[in-house]
Every structure is written in C-alpha cells, then in structure tokens.
Amino acid sequence: MGLSETAERAAALHRQAVAAQREGRVHEAMALFQQALALHKDAEVYLDFGSLLAGLSQWGPAGAVYAAALKLAPDSPDAHYGVALSLHAQGRPAEAEPHYRAVLAACPGVGAVWNNLGVALQEQGRPGAAEAAYREALRHQPEDAGTWKNLAVALDALGRTAEAESAYRAALARNPEHAVSLNNLGGLALAAGRPDEAWRIGGRMAALNPADRNGWMLLGNAAHATGRRGEAVRASAVAVRLAPDDPAPRHNHANALAAAGRREEAVAEYRTVIRLQPDSLAAVDLAVELCGLHDTAGALAVLRGAIGRHPEHGAAWRVLGQTLTGALRPEAALDALRRAVALDPGDPAGWEDLAAAATLADRVAPSIDALRRVRRLSPAYNPALAQLVQQQRHACDWRDLPALERDLIGRMRAGALGVPPFGLLAVDTTPADQQAAAERWARQKAHGVPAVARPTVSGDGRLRIGYLSADFHEHATAYLMAELLERHDRRRFAVTAYSTGIDDGSPMRRRLTAAVERFVDLRDRSDRDAAQAIAADGIDILVDLKGYTAFARTAILAARPAPVQVNWLGYPGTMGADFIDVILADAVTIPPGEEGFYSEAVVRLPHCYQPNDRHRAIAERTPSRADCGLPEDGFVFCCFNSPYKLTPAVFDVWARLLRTVPGSVLWLYAGNPLVAGNLRREAAARGVAPERLVFAPPRPLAEHLARHRLADLFLDTLPYNAHTTASDALWSGLPVVTCRGGTFAGRVAASLLDTVGLPELVTDSPAVYEALALDLARDLARLAGLKARLAAARTASPLFDGDRFARDLEDAYRAIWQRFAPAGDPR
C-alpha cells in the first residue's frame, strides 16, 4: 500500500474511532485509534485518543498519548493541555504547571485553564500565586462558582479570612447549592466564633442533600461549640451512619460523646477511628477519655503507641505528662512535659501542665518559672495567675506577691472564671469574695454532670454515713479523723469510707480501714462509676472531707449520689454548690449572723467543729535543742504552719518580736529549701540576723510532736490560721497565740483555744496579738501557768474527748437527716 493510501486508511480508521466513541463503543474505539496510529502517527489522532482515555480516567496512558502528540506538534495548546491534565490528575502539579502556562501563552483568555493552573499552584503550597491565577480566571468566567470557591480556599490559606468568606458568598450567589462553598463557609463561621451561623448553614446543607455527611458534621460541630451536647451527638451520629468507614465523622462523633460525658461510648468510637486510620491522632483523645475512666495503664499504652508513630507530636507528649501526673509519677511527667514544651513552646497549656507536675514533685522553682511563662503567653488566663500566687506563697517568695494578689482579687471581684477558691483562703479576701468564687467554681465543676439514679436500698434502720476523701493515709485529715471513725456507734450508724487517694501501706491506712464497717477504694474508678457505687450502697449522708483542696473529686458529689451531702473538715469555707446541703462548723468559725455567706445550711457542733485523736503518740525521747539547730538558751517562738500561710504582714510582727526579745529565735517548718533562703532574706531586710531563723525538716508525726517540747510559744498566722498544726501544738502542751480573722479559715485556732479552755490566747487585732506574744515571752511564770492548764486539758477538755465529739457529731447527723431526708423515710 502506497503512502497516500496508508494515510487515507489511517484517516478512515480515525473517523471510525471517533464515531464509535460517540456511540459509546469505547473498546472498539480504542482498538480503532491504535490501528490508525499503527499505520500513521498523527497529532490529531493522538489528541482524540488521549481525550478518550482521559474520559475513562486512565490518566497514565492518556498522558503518554498526549506526550506523543506533543512531540509531533510542540506548539499545540491541546497537546500541552492534555499533558497538564494527565500529570495533574496523577498528583504531579509541579510538572503540570509549565504545560498549563504553555496553553495560556497561546490562549490567554481561557478561564478554565487559569483555574486549573491556580489549583496546581495551590497544591504546591503557593496560595499567593494561586490567587493571581484564580482572579485572572474570574476575569474571563466571572460566573463560575467553582473558581470563586477556589479563590476562597487560597485566601483562607493566606490568612485573609474575611476575603475568603466574601469569595465563598460570591460562589453561592452564582450557585446557591454549591455544597463545598456552603461547607467551607460554615467552617469559617465556626472558627470565627459564629456557631449559630454555622448551624444554619449545616441545616441548609442537610436539607439540600440529606445524604451529604458534611452537612451533618457541620451541624454536629456547631452544636458542640454551643454546648448543645445532645444535638451534637445526634447530628454526628447521622454523619457516621452515612459514612461508617470514614474516620472523620467518627472522630467528630467521639468528640461529641466525650463532651456529653458518655466516656465509654466515646472510647469505643475513638478505637474505631484508630482501626480505620491507624496513624490517627485520635489516640490522644482516646487517652484523655481513658484517663477520665481512670484506666491509666490503657491511656499510657495508647499514648506510647501514638508517640512511637508521631514522635514530634507535642500534644501527645503533653497528654502523656498529664497522665503520668495523675498517676502520681511526677518525675516521669516532667520528662514528658519538657519534651512537649520544647516541641511547642508557644502553647501555654503545656507550660501549665509542667507547672502542675513540678508542684506534685515539690519542685517549686520550676513550677513558678513555668507559671510565669504561662502568664507571658496568656496574660488573661486566670488559673495560671491563681497558681502562681499559690506557688510563690509556698516558696515564701514575696517580692512581687502583693501586686499579683491584688490582680487576682480584682479579677475575682470582676467575675472572672477559673479562680480556684482554695487559693483565696490565704489571701486578704472576705467571706463574700470566697462565696462568689466558690459558686462560680462549683458551676464549672458540675457543668454537664448528670445525676446518678439512687436505687431503693433496704437497710437495717441505721443511718448510713459515707466519708469521701483522698486522704485516708498518712495525712493531716487522717490524724484528726482516726479516733472519730473508731468511736462511731455502729448500733445506730453504718459507716463507709470512700477512698479516692493512694494506699501508702502505712499503719494509719490500716487503722482507718479497720475503723469503719466498709472501706471502699474508688481511686481507679471514674467519677461517674464512683458516684454510682455510692448511690448503689444507699448512703444517706455523704460527707465530703476534701472540698476544693488537692485531689478533690468534686464531680462525684455533683452527680448527687446521696440525698444529703455535707461539707466538713477538709475545706474551711463554703463550696458554693447546690449539690452540697450542709456545712458543719461551730459558733466561732461561723458566728451567728454570717449564714448568708454560705450556700450550705450551717449546722454548728456544740464545741469545736474539729475532731482530735487522743491516740496520737508523742515520742518519749525529746531531742535536744542542739539536735534541732536551736540555741541552748533563749526564747523559742515557733510556727509549724505550711509556708503558704505566712504573709509579709505577719512576718513583720515576728521580726519585731525577735528584735525586742534578746536571744530569741523563730523556729519554722520548711520542707522546701527555697523557703529558708527567701525567709532569711526577708529577715535581713527587717533588721533580723538570718541565723535567728531555724528551720525544721519533715519528721514522722510522733517525733514532730515531741520536738514541740523545745518551743516556748506557737505564733499563729493570718488570714489562714493553724488548723491541724494548732491541734498538734495544743496536744503537745505548747500554747498558741492567734488573731481571730474575718473568715472561717482565720478562726479555726480561736475555736480550738476556746474549746481547750484558753480563750485569753485569742486576740482580735494584729497589734494585740503582737503585744500578747511579747508579754508571754517576758512573763515566763504566766507562760508556765498556761502550759499547766494545757496539760490538764488533755483529759478534761472537750477538744480531746473523742467519745463526746462522736456523740455530738452523730446528734448533728440525726438532726440533719430529719431536716433534709427524702419524704417518707422513717429513720
């Protein structure tokens, strides 16, 4: 066959191929294109064949065919365009770009090509260049909704959110049902803090296409952002039903379940996300929920797996640190959190967690440093300010403390959230201040906590009392409570201790376990499970011994596991909570007329509200003064209160006493070396030789009580008095001078002294407090008389009469039950 005949035969096959393609005979068309090209290489045939393959999304073969056309016709815009589309479709936008540009050089008015170039540039991470391409495309095709959407994506990537929103609205003006623009606009509204608008857009998407998962996801996210937890769960569940194998809707649904407090369901959903997408960072969210369920081992395993896959993921390291802190492994937590802040030094949450771990490890200096970093990164963040104040108080670092305290109090009085109430007890606040802060804190703690069902439990006629605490081990609260628990009348009261703290294996732990009818360890139970366990036991009166102190489990109480709930002993102030019915006090700690500052009903015990243990052993051997670093001669003022209770104003008084009483020393407790250095600096600034301050390290209780014999007079603090430390001093025979404060926390020592029969040691102003301490230091005979009266009070005073206290408390429980019992209960 001659050349012309071959070309004619190829042209005929080409025409037949095009006809077959039009009639849908695809495989026949492909064979005809190949036959035509076998006879004669022609650019037009290649272009039509490439179009067929592209229509079938066979982008690899199509690209090869278009490339062959380009060899034959290097200036062909169609060939360049075919190559560009093929490369782009195969995920090679950088290689596609020059071919798009070649098309535009020849045909600059084709808007679709400018749009595709913009997409290729966007995919290369060049949103600025993409914007220019999209704007050129819109110059030629201004009514194309897709190009407006693409422009919006580029503007959003450039951080020009307002312009991006305008571009999405322009797309929707051209096509009101443009689903991607609706979805992205809803996402921007949500990110901008307009969840109601996002909710409306999600509803519109769901109405337009109920089978579109994205609309339901947007509805769920918008509901989640506004705290409508039930709606968030329902909407995200629809998205999951529409796309059960897509991890994104499942992750959103898991988040909604977690926010709704449905932790077990959230855990199952997060696990499904990870099964569908093994490298998903949903593992971090899963670990958080496992921690909430007190499955620390499970959380640690998940986090270590996530970190193994993503070693540079700061959030995973941070949650690992949180988990280790919660497991009381602060040194390991510090290692993890140092890694977290190194990876993301601008995240204040990581520094806050680092401060918490350092505090638990009793490393005050790094805790203070971390909290100062939080303050620099987030100056308006109230919890960091509150914790910084508390940590500087623990270190007796007073250099800028007055200004920090004024700032904290000012924020609290302005209605700030996130101010822990306990930290306000030791600063100059009023009962009204403390109530306001407690009420806000209680609302935060109770938010979203559903009440547990309380089943009807048949009893034996006894009143069922439950004590809830994390301190059933070697702890100040346990020292006070032990004898009371042993002396409860088991004929009339069924007593259960619910422990949420560690088992330290100590003799005290064993004593407390034996002292009650039932001892239930709830430490590894979730708040919800713990509340359900208490409710299932049919507890009548649940007594919280923690309040808002460290390791409190307030959410257990917020779930209302008992019909009557009482705040007692562990927290000297109101909890401000509608789920706490009663606060136990006495006429000194809460004087008549101050009931309005307490959200609870005030029930007063006839003597001091504080129990004591007559079995607290005092070591027979008294150490020598030399053993304790004290001078052989000279008056010994002492204060064994925690350092955070010391204030510059009280220290001023103590410094004047030291200057006035020759040879005297001040004996203080200091478990942290920072305390000694800071207080010696403060003493020198007040004209007192630093060596006149002597510091007592921690010792076992019996030895600590024995060394009280070396002191002459205990000086109390204000505005937060000595509590257990005052009882220790009085039990050891050491007189305490106090100044009655304006709040519960500042009146406890006065209550103890009244009850022990030494009311003359209670003063009502700092000046009188100072004068009394000075008088006693100069009148050793009077001081000896006080010590003799204290020795007699060990057996005669109600303060140390465990039987009388138990009966008084039980009478109070009976009265409380009669007042607050559910209708129809006969007991």
Side-chain angles (χ1 to χ4, degrees), residues 7 10-15 17-18 21 29-30 32-53 65-66 68-69 72:
L13 289 169
H14 180 197
R15 289 191 295 274
V18 170
Q21 180 181 355
M30 291 177 64
L32 290 167
F33 277 128
Q34 289 170 337
Q35 291 173 34
L37 289 168
L39 292 173
H40 180 63
K41 304 295 190 265
D42 185 274
E44 291 299 323
V45 179
Y46 277 118
L47 289 172
D48 287 340
F49 189 17
S51 176
L52 170 65
L53 293 169
V65 169
Y66 280 127
L72 295 173

Side-chain angles (χ1 to χ4, degrees), residues 55-378:
L56 297 172
S57 296
Q58 295 184 20
W59 292 108
V65 169
Y66 280 127
L70 192 60
K71 284 184 180 178
L72 295 173
D75 296 327
S76 168
D78 290 336
H80 277 292
Y81 196 43
V83 171
L85 291 174
S86 299
L87 291 168
H88 202 167
Q90 294 176 78
R92 295 154 68 183
E95 295 173 65
E97 179 188 347
H99 293 284
Y100 283 134
R101 293 193 183 280
V103 175
L104 292 168
C107 309
V110 183
V113 181
W114 282 109
N115 181 66
N116 287 352
L117 174 62
V119 174
L121 294 165
Q122 184 81 34
E123 291 174 356
Q124 294 177 65
R126 295 158 62 190
E131 179 197 358
Y134 293 138
R135 291 199 184 278
E136 185 63 24
L138 288 169
R139 200 164 65 83
H140 301 287
Q141 52 181 36
E143 299 306 310
D144 187 73
T147 305
W148 280 106
K149 181 271 293 181
N150 290 341
L151 174 61
V153 171
L155 291 167
D156 188 27
L158 291 165
R160 291 151 59 186
T161 308
E163 294 177 72
E165 286 194 23
S166 296
Y168 283 128
R169 295 187 197 283
L172 293 167
R174 273 80 181 169
N175 180 0
E177 297 182 8
H178 198 263
V180 176
S181 292
L182 280 170
N183 187 54
N184 291 1
L185 181 60
L188 288 181
L190 197 59
R194 305 194 308 271
D196 291 337
E197 180 182 347
W199 172 265
R200 289 192 297 272
I201 293 171
R204 184 175 167 194
M205 291 177 66
L208 287 170
N209 183 4
D212 181 3
R213 76 191 75 172
N214 293 308
W216 294 102
M217 287 173 66
L218 184 57
L219 282 170
N221 290 337
H224 180 83
T226 53
R228 288 141 53 200
R229 294 185 169 87
E231 292 179 44
V233 169
R234 287 189 290 273
S236 59
V238 175
V240 169
R241 285 198 297 273
L242 291 170
D245 295 328
D246 185 345
R250 285 194 174 275
H251 199 163
N252 283 2
H253 186 48
N255 291 342
L257 289 166
R262 294 162 61 175
R263 281 201 161 111
E264 291 86 353
E265 296 170 80
V267 163
E269 202 66 35
Y270 284 130
R271 290 195 188 281
T272 302
V273 174
I274 295 168
R275 178 177 58 78
L276 293 169
Q277 188 178 5
D279 66 342
S280 170
L281 289 170
V284 177
D285 298 317
L286 170 60
V288 170
E289 295 309 305
L290 290 170
C291 286
L293 293 169
H294 291 263
D295 182 2
T296 301
L300 290 174
V302 167
L303 287 165
R304 289 190 172 115
I307 287 169
R309 291 186 295 273
H310 304 280
E312 303 305 310
H313 190 65
W317 284 104
R318 183 167 68 82
V319 175
L320 176 61
Q322 290 175 334
T323 305
L324 291 165
T325 300
L328 303 182
R329 296 169 58 186
E331 296 298 336
L334 282 170
D335 289 340
L337 290 164
R338 288 189 183 104
R339 184 69 180 270
V341 297
L343 289 167
D344 191 358
D347 178 15
W351 291 103
E352 184 181 21
D353 292 335
L354 179 61
T359 298
L360 185 63
D362 200 24
R363 295 192 180 189
V364 180
S367 177
I368 289 172
D369 290 344
L371 288 167
R372 286 177 175 160
R373 180 70 73 99
V374 178
R375 289 263 292 157
R376 289 195 295 274
L377 291 169
S378 186

Side-chain angles (χ1 to χ4, degrees), residues 591-827:
E594 291 196 0
E595 293 84 357
F597 296 117
Y598 296 82
S599 64
E600 308 92 337
V602 176
V603 173
R604 296 180 179 88
L605 298 180
H607 304 290
C608 182
Y609 85 105
Q610 187 192 89
N612 273 280
D613 177 16
R614 289 176 295 184
H615 302 295
R616 271 181 294 180
I618 304 176
E620 292 184 7
R621 177 185 175 274
T622 302
S624 68
R625 283 195 164 195
D627 290 337
C628 296
L630 298 167
E632 288 302 323
D633 298 311
F635 196 89
V636 177
F637 296 105
C638 88
C639 180
F640 292 144
N641 285 358
S642 293
Y644 76 87
K645 296 184 181 182
L646 278 59
T647 67
V650 168
F651 201 73
D652 287 342
V653 173
W654 294 351
R656 286 195 294 271
L657 290 171
L658 290 173
R659 291 198 305 267
T660 307
V661 180
S664 62
V665 296
L666 178 60
W667 196 13
L668 301 168
Y669 173 80
N672 188 295
L674 287 177
V675 171
N678 285 331
L679 288 180
R680 286 190 168 120
R681 185 190 66 245
E682 294 289 342
R686 290 164 172 80
V688 174
E691 60 269 19
R692 295 181 68 186
L693 271 57
V694 181
F695 293 93
R699 299 297 303 157
L701 180 61
E703 296 178 30
H704 172 61
L705 294 176
R707 65 185 173 185
H708 281 71
R709 299 175 182 136
L710 302 177
D712 295 300
L713 185 63
F714 189 108
L715 299 175
D716 198 10
T717 51
L718 197 74
Y720 201 137
N721 283 173
H723 293 190
T724 305
T725 46
S727 289
D728 288 344
L730 297 174
W731 178 244
S732 303
L734 179 63
V736 176
V737 172
T738 191
C739 183
R740 192 192 317 266
T743 66
F744 191 129
R747 296 169 177 158
V748 171
S751 175
L752 293 165
L753 288 164
D754 277 357
T755 306
V756 86
L758 295 173
E760 65 266 41
L761 295 182
V762 179
T763 66
D764 289 306
S765 74
V768 177
Y769 164 91
E770 182 177 348
L772 177 58
L774 181 58
D775 182 63
L776 291 173
R778 289 171 167 171
D779 189 346
L780 299 183
R782 181 183 177 191
L783 189 59
L786 291 170
K787 290 184 175 182
R789 288 166 60 190
L790 261 182
R794 284 169 60 95
T795 56
S797 166
L799 187 63
F800 299 118
D801 188 336
D803 286 322
R804 181 188 294 187
F805 187 91
R807 303 294 82 77
D808 288 342
L809 182 63
E810 290 168 353
D811 289 345
Y813 286 154
R814 281 288 175 191
I816 290 168
W817 184 248
Q818 289 171 9
R819 178 175 173 183
F820 291 97
D825 193 293
R827 285 170 296 169

Side-chain angles (χ1 to χ4, degrees), residues 467 480-488 568 611-612 805-806 809:
Y467 290 104
L480 297 175
M481 286 285 295
E483 184 178 2
L484 163 68
L485 295 176
E486 292 167 340
R487 295 190 177 278
H488 265 309
W568 179 50
N612 273 280
F805 187 91
L809 182 63

